[in-house]
Structures are given as C-alpha cells and as structure tokens.
Amino acid sequence: MTAKKTVHLVAGARPNFMKIAPLYHELKKRPWCAPVLIHTGQHYDLGMSDVFFRDLNLPAPDFSLGIGGGSHGEQLGKVVMAYETMLTETCPDLVTVVGDVNATAACTLAAKKLNIPVAHVEAGLRSRDRMMPEEINRVVTDSIFDLHLTPSEDADANLRAENVPASCIHFVGNIMIDSLVAMAPVVRAQAHPFPQVVDRPYAIATFHRPANVDDAANLRLLVEGLVALAHKIAIIFPLHPRTRQRLHAAGLLVALEQAPGMHLSDPLGYADFMRCLFGAALVVTDSGGVQEETTYLGIPCFTARPSTERPITISLGTNVLISVSDIGSLPISATRRDKIAPLPLWDGKTASRIATVFERYLADGAPLRQG
Ligand code: UD1
Ligand code: UDP
C-alpha cells in the first residue's frame, strides 16, 4: 500500500479555526491523506482557541508551538523558528495555511525556505490598505504560495493582476461557509446565550482592528456610537481581548457597561456566536469573517473600515462600509434579506473541492511554483 500523504493544516488565531475544521474533517475521510493539525498559539485563551476545537469537533492539535502574543516581529520570528524545526523533523508533503494572520505568513515563510509546497486557503483577497497588518501578510505570502485556493472571483482577478500563474489558482469557494452550513442545525437547536434579548430585535457588535481600538480618538468615537445605538436597539458585544484591554486602559469600559441595552461578554465560542448571529437584526463590526457570514445569512452588516478585502460582500451581499462616527445614527430598521441570491461556490462544499485539488497536485509530484 502506498504511504499516505502528510498535509499540515496550520491555525494560529480565532478566524483560522472555522476555516481549518472543514478541511480537516474532509481530508480525514480521504484514504490517501494524513492531515496533521498545527496550532501556533497566537491565540491561546480558552475563549479564543479551545472552545473552537470543541465546537468544531476538532481533536487537540497534533503539534502546539505555544508562541503566544507579542509584537508582530516577535510573533513572526518565533513562529518561523519553531515551525522550521518542526518541518525538518516531520517533512510534510504539503503545508496548508488559511487567512491572513501572522501565523499564516510565518508558517509560509518557514515552509517555502525549506522548499516545501504551501497551499493558501482564502488567497487573493486585497483591501489595498497597507496600514492593515493583514494586508502585508496577504501581499507578502501570496507572492510565494504554490497553490492559491480562492473564495471569490475578485480574488482570482487580483492574483492574475499580480502575475500569479493561472495554473496555481483554483476558485474553490468560501470555506468559512462550510463550517456555518455544517454547524447550523446544531446551533439552531441550542439555547440562546442571551435569553434576555430574544423577544426583541437585537444587534451584534464585534470590534478588534487596531485602527479602531488602538487609536484613542477612534476608540472614543466607537464607544459613543455604540452607547447611542444601544438606546435604540439591544446590542450583544463580545469583547475581543485587545478591545477589552484598550477600553480598560482608556477608562471607557464603564460607559459601555452602564449603557442601557448593552450586553457585554467575553469572546463567544463559535456555536454561541452563531446562535446570536442567526437571530440578529443587524451587525456592526470591523471583522473580516463576520462580513461574509452576514452576507451568507442576509443580515444587514455595517463594517467600520475604510475598505474591505471582501468586496463581494458589498456588491452581492448586505455589507456597507461606514466610519466609527456613523454608528450612533445607523438605521435600525434595515431588514434582513431572507432570499439573498446564492454566492458562487459559497455552498458548504469548499473543503471537498480543496481536497480534490490537493489529491491531483500531490499525484502530479507537487510541483513548486516558478515565477
Ligand atoms: C489577530 C490577527 C487579525 C485577526 C484577529 C482575529 C494578525 C496580524 N492579526 O489580531 O488579523 O483579525 O487576530 O481575532 O495576525 N490576546 C489575549 N488572549 C488571546 C489572544 C490575544 O489576551 O487568546 C491579547 C494579547 O494581549 C495580544 C492581543 O490580544 O497581545 C492581540 O492579539 P494578536 O493576536 O497580536 O492580534 P489580534 O488583535 O488578536
Ligand atoms: N467569532 C466568534 N466569537 C466572537 C466573535 C467572532 O466565534 O465572539 C467568529 C466569527 O463568527 C467568525 C470569526 O470568529 O467566524 C471571525 O474572527 P475575527 O472577527 O476574530 O477575525 P477576522 O475575521 O476579522 O480576521
């Protein structure tokens, strides 16, 4: 019997886990493949990491690098060093990274320096805002991947414009939607984590981008906007650790805690967050992934950013870009679109398409990208 191909699946931060899970489950079913889970440890709190493994039925990682927080340089450097050591010991046939976080960039660099092929799930997205740390990760790493698995056709166009060879680009659809589709029946059957809001319209807020929460003036505007909005509609606001730290340091946490209609919490696990999202009247956010989930569900989404790397959520979805100073006057009468047209290949079958691309690529001898 031929030996199974070893495929590393790298995750480091919250938005990675729901992208890795469907692929892990799909590859596990394929007789030719031995998927190996790697966790860099960029996110490490129970509520930012472990709960996602539980909710998404993932086993504990095969390898945990335990890198933790730190400056960008510190995180990148430590992951490159630790993952390089692991790669030399384990020699996988293919490394798979997802999204645009520091773990994505660092593991790509480590693998490519050892001439190990790397596949990128969610390739080709561009905000064209190089003040975003994620944009730097995307631009740097998309120039060296061997396989680009794209979620939408705008991503293919971006890669072609950057001279990525067409043979390396595979439009496979949106893998986050695989997790949403797989989890929906379980999630809909479970109790709502905020029973006090279920009988009336409510909004969800999520914020963690440095441009909004590390900037003192924008953080103040954000808090003022959310407090004003909470007078009009109940808000569930799970606080990302970065955001909680910044609010606390700026003395602004108390204003949110005391706002009538505001329901603050720790970060929610995937199932709890989805349960809230399924019933939400609107969402105000600066998340990347939440723009896509609301688009899929037809929920009005207001994204406090100057640009988005996911333009399809605006052109075909429910997303609108705003400034933090707009939040207090958002239209709470915006209605959900229950009959949104399906987005191409956002169908819950992306992991299966990726597994097929991998199988063919590895059978062809995993050619490294040239040029
Ligand atoms: C990271 C990603 C961002 C992604 C976000 C998702 C990069 C450059 N940024 O941003 O793209 O949208 O994750 O949530 O990779 N912290 C904890 N506990 C944790 C994790 C973080 O307390 O489990 C605190 C630490 O003090 C840390 C800070 O949050 O320094 C920021 O974490 P970090 O991973 O550096 O950046 P994020 O803002 O989470
Ligand atoms: N999410 C979650 N709990 C929360 C906030 C977000 O499970 O309290 C999920 C969300 O549904 C989406 C993912 O986390 O699937 C997005 O991660 P995040 O916003 O942290 O990162 P980004 O997408 O901005 O990189």
Side-chain angles (χ1 to χ4, degrees):
M1 201 178 96
T2 17
K4 290 189 180 211
K5 301 288 186 188
T6 305
V7 177
H8 278 192
L9 299 176
V10 175
R14 177 167 73 185
N16 297 161
F17 306 126
M18 61 294 293
K19 297 171 192 169
I20 284 293
L23 196 49
Y24 177 83
H25 295 307
E26 183 64 35
L27 291 176
K28 201 73 188 156
K29 288 191 282 187
R30 306 270 174 142
W32 56 268
C33 186
V36 175
L37 280 179
I38 315 288
H39 190 339
T40 68
Q42 178 174 344
H43 285 175
Y44 44 84
D45 286 346
L46 288 177
M48 294 294 287
S49 177
D50 301 41
V51 68
F52 292 89
F53 282 75
R54 183 199 69 195
D55 286 0
L56 296 159
N57 297 316
L58 284 171
D62 296 285
F63 297 99
S64 294
L65 303 182
I67 298 306
S71 69
H72 287 274
E74 202 177 347
Q75 287 186 31
L76 288 165
K78 282 184 181 168
V79 175
V80 172
M81 288 169 70
Y83 193 47
E84 180 183 61
T85 305
M86 176 177 302
L87 285 169
T88 52
E89 287 164 3
T90 55
C91 302
D93 296 287
L94 179 66
V95 168
T96 308
V97 296
V98 296
D100 52 21
V101 301
N102 284 338
T104 313
C107 291
T108 301
L109 285 175
K112 288 305 299 172
K113 290 280 186 177
L114 294 171
N115 294 327
I116 295 170
V118 184
H120 183 206
V121 177
E122 202 182 88
L125 298 184
R126 296 287 180 273
S127 68
R128 311 197 197 288
D129 174 3
R130 295 212 174 171
M131 297 299 285
M132 279 184 84
E134 297 81 5
E135 185 74 353
I136 304 300
N137 290 338
R138 293 182 202 116
V139 171
V140 167
T141 48
D142 268 337
S143 66
I144 53 175
F145 291 117
D146 302 284
L147 284 178
H148 299 254
L149 293 316
T150 62
S152 47
E153 283 155 310
D154 56 282
D156 292 41
N158 290 334
L159 293 171
R160 284 195 299 269
E162 292 171 16
N163 299 318
V164 174
S167 60
C168 299
I169 305 172
H170 302 267
F171 173 38
V172 291
N174 190 324
I175 194 124
M176 284 190 94
I177 302 305
D178 283 27
S179 278
L180 192 158
V181 168
M183 291 288 296
V186 181
V187 166
R188 286 191 196 281
Q190 78 179 35
H192 198 288
F194 295 85
Q196 63 275 43
V197 301
V198 284
D199 292 337
R200 52 200 164 118
Y202 65 85
I204 299 178
T206 82
F207 285 90
H208 66 273
R209 295 248 104 76
N212 287 330
V213 305
D214 291 4
D215 179 289
N218 280 345
L219 185 63
R220 182 165 291 280
L221 285 172
L222 173 64
V223 170
E224 287 169 3
L226 288 173
V227 168
L229 190 65
H231 278 92
K232 296 186 270 183
I233 185 168
I235 302 180
I236 296 170
F237 186 9
L239 292 175
H240 186 285
R242 175 192 286 281
T243 308
R244 184 178 284 280
Q245 284 165 14
R246 299 300 185 265
L247 287 167
H248 182 71
L252 290 169
L253 194 51
V254 69
L256 285 176
E257 284 167 345
Q258 291 176 352
M262 181 68 70
H263 303 269
L264 298 182
S265 75
D266 287 335
L268 296 175
Y270 185 77
D272 279 347
F273 190 78
M274 284 300 129
R275 182 69 185 84
C276 292
L277 197 58
F278 287 172
L282 66 97
V283 171
V284 52
T285 189
D286 60 12
S287 165
V290 174
Q291 296 173 63
E292 296 179 333
E293 291 160 338
T294 48
T295 282
Y296 182 80
L297 294 168
I299 301 171
C301 179
F302 298 95
T303 302
R305 285 167 45 172
S307 59
T308 178
E309 64 286 345
R310 292 159 160 98
I312 195 171
T313 62
I314 294 176
S315 57
L316 295 183
T318 51
N319 192 21
V320 178
L321 297 183
I322 59 163
S323 140
V324 277
S325 57
D326 298 328
I327 293 172
S329 53
L330 286 178
I332 57 160
S333 56
T335 46
R336 291 180 64 132
R337 283 165 49 188
D338 289 332
K339 291 213 181 302
I340 191 163
L343 274 74
L345 305 192
W346 291 31
D347 58 359
K349 296 175 186 155
T350 292
S352 168
R353 285 186 284 270
I354 294 175
T356 302
V357 171
F358 284 3
E359 185 171 5
R360 288 195 192 129
Y361 174 74
L362 291 166
D364 286 347
L368 294 176
R369 171 177 157 190
Q370 304 296 324

